[in-house]
Amino acid sequence: MSATLAPAAAGGAAQEPLPTPEQLLARFGLRSFRPGQRDAVQAALQGRDSLVVMPTGGGKSLCYQLPALAARGLVVVVSPLIALMADQLRRLDDAGIGAAMLASGMPDGHNARALAQIEDGGAQLVLVAPERFASRAFRQALATRRVALFVVDEAHCVAEWGHDFRPDYLRLHDAIAALGRPPVMAATATATPRVAQEIAQRLQLRDPVSVRSGFDRPNVVFDVLAVEGKGALARKRAALVHVLSQPGATPAIVYCGTRKDTGHVAEVLAAERLATVTYHAGMSAADRSASQDAFMSGRADVVVATNAFGMGVDKADVRTVAHWAIPTSLEAYYQEAGRGGRDGLPARALLLAGRMDLGRLIRFNTERHTTVQDVRAYVAQLRRHATQDTVTIAPSWSDAATGPPALRERERILLSIAERAGAVVLAPGAGGALQVTLTGRGDPRQARLAIKAAQDRGWESYRAIERFIANGRQCRRRQILDHFGDSAPSAASERCCDVCDPDAALAAGAARASTSARPRTARPRAGGAHGSSAAHAPGHAAHAPGHAAHASGLGAHPAQATLPPVEEAQFEALRAWRRERAEDKPAYTVAANTVLEAILRARPRSSEELLAIHGVGPAFCEKHGESLLRTLAEL
């Protein structure tokens, strides 16, 4: 099997001269390339490896579709989502390119017909999920063809520094080697320089052509609205309704941080007579499909969703992408915001940034903390389900009742650390599953290094999105481009952002909502304990017994209210904790006495509740939050 796109066939017979990228473009019915596309196509035609980094909507799919027209062999495209592949298959069929798709969950006979297309030469391009390489029938079909180009789409999934790391991408370099090492194109929309470097290492790219078309989306306006203190929730609602009620603001996507919030926000928008649907992983497949179809067809103006929605959904005319909650990273934010305006027309990205959201992100990172013992325990759990040192893990969307837990966020982290430590070897399995081989060994030192790297990545991502939100002095667009290592001058085709060109009407409408919102009194907690109450909701004044006034921490200082005394023994316990955390530095560098007292009155049980206390900020939570919460639980 030949490994390059050479001008002559393996058998020595002369072939037609290679077409130029422009000739292939004309056959596709297009007149001009977007930035970077021609270089990527040329690299593929010359048999060069390439790393193609283009923003969402930048046209990276054309970079590997055009080489399929060169008729020099089969183009294999690995893609992470069935929805993404199905949409591309439809577009390829419309363009007259012979294409096939293989994935789990397809109708009876579909995959068999696709294999036949590969074997008889009817398919110029095949779209596959990464686990498909575990299928002997698929490997045998590929063996009958010359693979001219191996494409890893959404290549950031291979990088642990990426925001959407997927272990089933880890062994793609083995699949590439088994095919005779054809040229490889790694394509992604969200790679920082560090992620790009890891992609190249993981896929073992050889002297790759680097194609970076620039990350700027000139037609997208970036607005960040800080919503803090009393009335924050009302301001969020008002800002979102204000934006989505403007002429031409829909279709729109509203991203929420929790499934519960999708329902709440959808109710708010439906009350404004906006046709709204919800989408999250907790819904049935049929309900998710119905919501997606309604939005894609235009029967719904707005989809309110978690981050489960979007990747692989190609709707070019989305006019607004709003974030009800702060995303986990700047990469995730830009990928989601970039789903607006893919048709090149004006679009808007609105980020509603609340301090309580930072607490959620801090808690998320804290809960991701793991130890070597945790990894050992997870490997032992896998071994209990193993047969001859091999176990199959169901995909994250599976509801399998037997076998080890499906691969959700924590399991992904543990498995990645175990793989780095040499305790397991990973390979794609059938039906979207992951095959895990237990080696019976492992290097604890490597595990500790992997654990530290994972923790550092999480906090670095947190700090990047926090800086982006807090920096209201520098152009938002410039901040994003700098993060991705793009030094090219930015050029907005409409309004740029809230820093360069503020939307006075948006800010004024949100402010009016705050002053007109009626404060609610928190319901007393059962027995004065720590049960959930309105005291912890942004914008609700908290006057429950034993609770500091303005639990949001952004209203009146607790000293302005009459506060009950704290228990002396507990206060001394916190002072002792503070001395230990100060590490020979002055105690006030950790927290003042008034803050310790406020903590004892509020008795927070999570990072979100801790962050709501006056005098406690994100830096304190990051450095001391986990230790403090453990100490409080023991008092």
Side-chain angles (χ1 to χ4, degrees):
M1 188 183 303
S2 176
T4 63
L5 284 165
Q15 290 190 358
E16 293 292 328
L18 279 173
T20 66
E22 287 76 13
Q23 288 170 330
L24 296 176
L25 186 70
R27 290 173 58 185
F28 215 73
L30 300 175
R31 294 184 177 180
S32 60
F33 285 108
R34 294 183 185 181
Q37 287 179 326
R38 190 191 187 282
D39 292 339
V41 173
Q42 186 65 36
L45 294 177
Q46 293 176 343
R48 297 280 305 277
D49 286 356
S50 60
L51 177 55
V52 179
V53 183
M54 292 182 174
T56 301
K60 59 184 169 61
S61 60
L62 194 73
C63 297
Y64 53 77
Q65 291 171 353
L66 289 187
L69 294 175
R72 289 302 193 272
L74 182 68
V75 174
V76 177
V77 181
V78 180
S79 185
L81 285 181
I82 292 176
L84 182 68
M85 291 189 286
D87 184 68
Q88 287 203 36
L89 182 66
R90 176 181 59 79
R91 292 172 181 269
L92 290 165
D93 287 342
D94 291 344
I97 297 178
M101 168 183 165
L102 287 108
S104 57
M106 304 304 292
D108 289 345
H110 173 94
N111 285 346
R113 289 191 295 273
L115 291 173
Q117 282 182 274
I118 295 172
E119 292 174 346
D120 65 19
Q124 299 163 275
L125 182 149
V126 58
L127 298 148
V128 296
E131 72 273 6
R132 190 53 45 181
F133 293 95
S135 164
R136 177 177 297 179
F138 177 58
R139 295 197 305 270
Q140 289 175 341
L142 288 183
T144 67
R145 298 288 299 278
R146 176 178 181 264
V147 175
L149 182 65
F150 191 102
V151 181
V152 182
D153 202 5
E154 307 295 343
H156 58 271
C157 293
V158 82
E160 290 183 83
W161 269 102
H163 68 276
D164 196 23
F165 168 63
R166 299 189 178 207
D168 52 2
Y169 265 55
L170 286 176
R171 295 303 167 193
L172 287 179
H173 64 78
D174 289 340
I176 294 166
L179 292 172
R181 192 46 179 82
V184 177
M185 177 185 291
T188 179
T190 53
T192 61
R194 177 178 289 177
V195 170
Q197 181 180 19
E198 186 175 353
I199 290 171
Q201 292 173 346
R202 281 282 193 175
L203 295 177
Q204 300 177 6
L205 301 183
R206 301 173 300 189
D207 188 26
V209 174
S210 178
V211 179
R212 295 179 72 90
S213 66
F215 280 85
D216 197 7
R217 295 291 307 282
N219 62 312
V220 179
V221 176
F222 295 95
D223 282 322
V224 177
L225 181 67
V227 283
E228 298 179 344
K230 184 177 179 181
L233 189 59
R235 288 200 297 280
K236 267 192 176 186
R237 292 194 198 101
L240 185 61
V241 169
H242 168 81
V243 167
L244 295 185
S245 298
Q246 299 300 307
T250 60
I253 304 172
V254 179
Y255 282 108
C256 295
T258 66
R259 298 173 185 178
K260 181 179 179 181
D261 277 349
T262 62
H264 160 70
V265 174
E267 289 178 1
V268 170
L269 298 181
E272 299 294 327
R273 299 187 177 182
L274 287 165
T276 306
V277 294
T278 58
Y279 188 107
H280 57 73
M283 298 166 59
S284 69
D287 287 344
R288 289 198 305 271
S289 179
S291 290
Q292 180 171 323
D293 289 346
F295 182 65
M296 297 296 286
S297 67
R299 289 180 285 111
D301 299 317
V302 184
V303 57
V304 183
T306 61
N307 60 7
F309 180 83
M311 189 172 171
V313 177
D314 188 6
K315 185 172 176 64
D317 63 342
V318 174
R319 301 271 65 89
T320 304
V321 178
H323 282 83
W324 180 260
I326 300 172
T328 56
S329 69
L330 199 52
E331 291 92 335
Y333 166 71
Y334 198 49
Q335 184 181 53
E336 290 163 1
R339 290 175 183 138
R342 296 183 66 169
D343 55 5
L345 298 178
R348 185 176 200 167
L350 172 67
L351 174 54
L352 301 169
R355 183 173 175 176
M356 291 296 287
D357 291 333
L358 293 177
R360 176 179 57 85
L361 298 185
I362 290 172
R363 177 173 56 82
F364 177 73
N365 273 331
T366 301
E367 289 175 350
R368 293 179 64 179
H369 177 73
T370 191
T371 65
V372 173
Q373 289 71 28
D374 293 332
V375 178
R376 285 174 174 156
Y378 180 64
V379 172
Q381 181 185 32
L382 294 177
R383 187 167 293 282
R384 289 194 292 272
H385 294 284
T387 302
Q388 296 182 341
D389 294 329
T390 300
V391 61
T392 299
I393 301 180
S396 59
W397 60 86
S398 171
D399 295 321
T402 60
L407 205 60
R408 296 183 174 87
E409 178 63 27
R410 180 160 177 79
E411 286 76 24
R412 281 172 49 187
I413 295 169
L414 293 170
L415 197 59
S416 172
I417 295 169
E419 189 265 347
R420 285 296 182 97
V424 300
V425 174
L426 307 179
L434 191 68
Q435 183 174 298
V436 181
T437 300
L438 303 166
T439 66
R441 59 183 184 276
D443 185 342
R445 179 177 174 275
Q446 290 299 319
R448 283 191 288 271
L449 290 174
I451 288 169
K452 184 179 186 305
Q455 291 171 343
D456 290 346
R457 284 195 296 275
W459 287 117
E460 184 171 316
S461 293
Y462 167 80
R463 285 189 287 270
I465 193 71
E466 181 192 25
R467 283 194 301 269
F468 174 70
I469 292 165
N471 188 356
R473 298 175 302 279
Q474 184 184 17
C475 169
R476 306 289 184 187
R477 187 183 306 274
R478 185 71 262 159
Q479 291 183 58
I480 292 171
L481 298 182
D482 288 347
H483 179 78
F484 285 104
D486 185 350
S487 59
S490 59
S493 57
E494 301 290 329
R495 274 186 58 233
C496 180
C497 67
D498 62 288
V499 176
C500 299
D501 189 4
D503 182 345
L506 173 62
R512 284 194 299 272
S514 176
T515 57
S516 63
R518 291 182 301 171
R520 301 179 186 177
T521 302
R523 291 192 300 270
R525 301 177 183 184
H530 313 293
S532 63
S533 77
H536 296 296
H540 294 260
H543 301 292
H547 199 89
H550 294 286
S552 67
L554 299 169
H557 192 283
Q560 295 174 351
T562 301
L563 301 174
V566 298
E567 188 174 320
E568 187 66 24
Q570 293 183 352
F571 180 66
E572 289 304 318
L574 279 198
R575 290 184 64 192
W577 168 86
R578 182 177 61 181
R579 283 194 298 272
E580 180 181 346
R581 302 297 295 185
E583 299 177 343
D584 298 326
K585 296 178 182 178
Y588 68 80
T589 61
V590 177
N593 284 352
T594 54
V595 174
L596 296 185
E597 292 172 355
I599 288 170
L600 282 174
R601 294 187 183 97
R603 298 304 294 257
R605 296 192 302 173
S606 69
S607 296
E608 290 158 309
E609 295 179 8
L610 181 60
L611 192 64
I613 296 171
H614 187 92
V616 175
F620 177 94
C621 284
E622 179 180 341
K623 188 172 183 179
H624 305 297
E626 185 178 0
S627 172
L628 176 59
L629 292 173
R630 283 199 304 267
T631 300
L632 286 173
E634 295 169 358
L635 294 182

